[in-house]
Amino acid sequence: MKIFYQIFSVAILVALLVGCCNCRAVRKNQLPIIGTEWQLVQLGEESMQPQEDRFTIQFLAEENRFAGVGDGNRLTATYVLNEKQHTVRLENAGMTRMMTPNQELEDRFVAMLGKVTAYDMDGTMLMLFADKELLAVFQAK
């Protein structure tokens, strides 16, 4: 009978640990990279206040199109994405060229996008990397 209680206690402990695992909550809340609109919240080491309809990106499913908005200029490209290896590369990029109030920040934003080689996700956050260097953090809109 003592062995039964020991096995029962271990089984309950394992069930509690598995049920309380944070990784399950993160995976459950993780949004798809494709189709989600992402808002810039950090560029390099600088935190950013989200600005409505500015500094956003989106990976679109049709024809592997990438769309974004800087400080006012629209960006477009195609992308090559490997979800298993978490790699991404933008190609054939183009954008409108109007002067904007925050042109320096927009120039940094566009330059960062040209360097992206990898990504990672954590819940509603998307992190873009150049190899292992964190370039930017986006939050799902």
Side-chain angles (χ1 to χ4, degrees):
M1 192 66 139
K2 187 176 179 180
I3 292 214
F4 172 75
Y5 285 115
Q6 288 174 340
I7 292 173
F8 184 72
S9 296
V10 169
I12 296 236
L13 180 61
V14 168
L16 285 173
L17 289 173
V18 170
C20 294
C21 177
N22 279 341
C23 60
R24 286 178 166 237
V26 169
R27 285 195 181 121
K28 182 178 178 184
N29 294 329
Q30 186 167 310
L31 298 171
I33 188 170
I34 298 171
T36 302
E37 187 174 9
W38 302 98
Q39 175 81 55
L40 182 68
V41 294
Q42 181 179 328
L43 184 59
E45 295 181 9
E46 181 183 351
S47 293
M48 315 291 293
Q49 280 292 7
Q51 301 177 29
E52 188 170 330
D53 297 328
R54 297 189 188 279
F55 301 103
T56 63
I57 62 171
Q58 190 170 18
F59 296 88
L60 304 167
E62 62 273 358
E63 300 176 5
N64 287 4
R65 258 190 21 190
F66 173 87
V69 177
D71 191 45
N73 286 300
R74 300 210 174 276
L75 307 135
T76 186
T78 56
Y79 65 87
V80 178
L81 180 79
N82 183 322
E83 290 187 76
K84 289 182 182 177
Q85 295 181 350
H86 285 232
T87 60
V88 63
R89 182 178 72 247
L90 298 179
E91 299 176 336
N92 306 314
M95 68 182 284
T96 59
R97 283 290 181 186
M98 300 181 301
M99 289 301 292
T100 63
N102 203 340
Q103 190 65 48
E104 184 270 334
L105 180 59
E106 183 175 81
D107 291 344
R108 287 178 35 221
F109 176 71
V110 172
M112 173 275 301
L113 291 172
K115 296 177 186 174
V116 172
T117 60
Y119 73 94
D120 200 1
M121 298 178 71
D122 186 4
T124 60
M125 306 301 276
L126 169 67
M127 294 148 290
L128 299 180
F129 296 88
D131 298 316
K132 295 185 182 194
E133 176 191 356
L134 179 65
L135 297 176
V137 179
F138 292 80
Q139 183 170 12
K141 249 181 118 176

